[in-house]
Amino acid sequence: MVVVVDTVSATPLRPRHPEKVNRPDALSPPKPDWIRVRAPNTRGYADTHKIVKENGLVTVCEEAGCPNIGECWDKKHATFMIMGDTCTRACAFCNVKTGMPGALDAMEPEHVAEATFKLGLAHIVVTSVDRDDLADGGAEHFAKTIRAIRARCPTTTIEILTPDFLRKDGALEIVAAAKPDVFNHNLETVPSRYLSVRPGARYFHSIRLLQRVKEIDPTIFTKSGIMVGLGEERHEVLQVMDDLRSADVDFLTIGQYLQPTRKHHAVMRYVPPDEFQGYEKVAYTKGFLMVSASPLTRSSHHAGDDFAKLQAARAAKSR
Ligand code: SF4
């Protein structure tokens, strides 16, 4: 039997996913040759690592075991994960640790701002664990982090990738009032797969959350993403695109699901690159301003370059 242990933090042998330890192993097919990643051994990677650690920060790049870390960190692109390294949800696809998180670090917004400054980022992505234990789901902490980055790095554009704030009335409004440039909330998968993949979430709540952001402030770009290879059908992916367009979402990302351990959801299928291209084409016809669809697409991958394209696409549309 495989024991799911923490392979990221300095405390080995602590169950990382206590709720998954007793699950039977889920076997995925071997990775195809189009899933290739750069090894994390460059000077830029080492510099990014140093700044992250010196500021005591957590990154989703490490916690989620992102395959793009070698490429992104070499360019000093890291995505900070605020409010701790422990999540109150236990999604079947996610490698982030599950459990009861600790108290918020009041200095974290300043530390994130300082690291953004030191990395010299023109565009920063900030995400978080789910904090169902907090009355506002961590909304005020998100807002403080946005304000701290604005104060320290006034020209840096800010993208946030938030939890769903389910049953946290007023939380979304607090975050939107801080005016991030991009508000991302991932749907993760098609509605028929929610019960097995994202059981703590509600599909239509997530769609409505994205729609509300646009209603509150139409200048904020909205973004969402799904993973494929989790057992979804093509027509379901196309329906998700329509649902997101109904909510006026600007930017769609589609990437291949990769299994973090054998205790996580199995990869049902590796979607070939030409199918991703097909999804991208269809998504543009449905009216998204930006679409990124490829096996290694992740929400924050190339986020800075994509933000510039988003702005250009909006400007072209309004001409
Ligand atoms: S794609 Fe995003 S999460 Fe992955 S390494 Fe790059 S910045 Fe980090």
Side-chain angles (χ1 to χ4, degrees):
M1 192 187 87
V2 172
V3 177
V4 184
V5 293
D6 188 344
T7 55
V8 175
S9 78
T11 323
L13 300 178
R14 181 162 50 88
R16 191 169 171 82
H17 305 285
E19 80 295 343
K20 295 185 177 83
V21 166
N22 295 318
R23 281 190 194 166
D25 287 0
L27 297 182
S28 297
K31 281 191 193 131
D33 56 9
W34 62 76
I35 306 276
R36 286 221 184 91
V37 295
R38 189 187 301 174
N41 55 8
T42 60
R43 176 72 196 273
Y45 176 91
D47 291 347
T48 304
H49 187 267
K50 188 162 173 271
I51 293 170
V52 167
K53 298 303 156 194
E54 276 173 1
N55 284 279
L57 296 172
V58 178
T59 67
V60 74
C61 319
E62 294 170 288
E63 298 297 322
C66 181
N68 299 323
I69 193 165
E71 178 200 335
C72 291
W73 282 30
D74 182 44
K75 294 188 234 153
K76 301 213 171 131
H77 294 169
T79 293
F80 299 121
M81 192 169 81
I82 58 174
M83 298 191 265
D85 63 358
T86 307
C87 186
T88 49
R89 302 266 176 101
C91 298
F93 63 88
C94 185
N95 197 40
V96 172
K97 222 185 294 175
T98 303
M100 188 46 117
L104 292 179
D105 172 4
M107 290 310 294
E108 187 174 51
E110 273 68 35
H111 290 154
V112 171
E114 190 56 28
T116 305
F117 179 78
K118 285 190 176 148
L119 289 166
L121 294 176
H123 184 83
I124 173 74
V125 186
V126 179
T127 188
S128 80
V129 287
D130 266 77
R131 293 294 306 247
D132 295 308
D133 57 312
L134 300 174
D136 71 350
E140 187 54 42
H141 198 78
F142 251 113
K144 281 182 184 161
T145 305
I146 294 167
R147 290 194 291 264
I149 298 168
R150 285 255 185 267
R152 184 75 175 99
C153 313
T155 59
T156 299
T157 47
I158 303 170
E159 174 166 338
I160 53 167
L161 168 57
T162 75
D164 60 8
F165 299 119
L166 188 64
R167 293 182 277 272
K168 304 291 180 191
D169 287 350
L172 172 66
E173 288 72 9
I174 292 171
V175 181
K179 286 191 164 290
D181 296 280
V182 182
F183 194 117
N184 185 2
H185 171 63
N186 282 334
L187 294 180
E188 311 292 5
T189 186
V190 301
S192 72
R193 306 298 305 138
Y194 261 52
L195 213 52
S196 350
V197 174
R198 202 184 172 215
R202 300 292 175 268
Y203 178 77
F204 284 105
H205 169 81
S206 286
I207 292 277
R208 179 70 187 129
L209 179 113
L210 289 156
Q211 188 177 36
R212 277 286 299 143
V213 175
K214 264 285 192 273
E215 287 169 1
I216 294 167
D217 186 345
T219 66
I220 298 176
F221 288 103
T222 49
K223 175 172 175 180
S224 188
I226 59 166
M227 299 166 287
V228 287
L230 283 161
E232 71 291 328
E233 299 284 342
R234 178 182 158 79
H235 69 87
E236 295 178 294
V237 174
L238 302 190
Q239 182 64 54
V240 166
M241 292 180 190
D242 287 337
D243 294 343
L244 286 171
R245 284 305 302 135
S246 301
D248 211 7
V249 169
D250 300 302
F251 187 174
L252 171 67
T253 59
I254 307 178
Q256 170 70 51
Y257 166 66
L258 298 175
Q259 186 187 36
T261 74
R262 278 181 282 166
K263 297 298 180 184
H264 287 79
H265 198 294
V267 174
M268 308 307 288
R269 182 170 168 253
Y270 289 104
V271 177
D274 62 332
E275 267 184 56
F276 281 99
Q277 282 165 13
Y279 281 140
E280 188 169 303
K281 229 178 242 170
V282 176
Y284 273 119
T285 66
K286 289 180 184 288
F288 289 98
L289 281 182
M290 269 288 300
V291 183
S292 174
S294 75
L296 289 176
T297 288
R298 297 294 180 266
S299 297
S300 47
H301 198 208
H302 302 151
D305 294 344
D306 287 347
F307 179 70
K309 290 182 200 159
L310 254 185
Q311 284 179 307
R314 179 184 275 176
K317 204 174 167 186
S318 61
R319 257 180 235 136

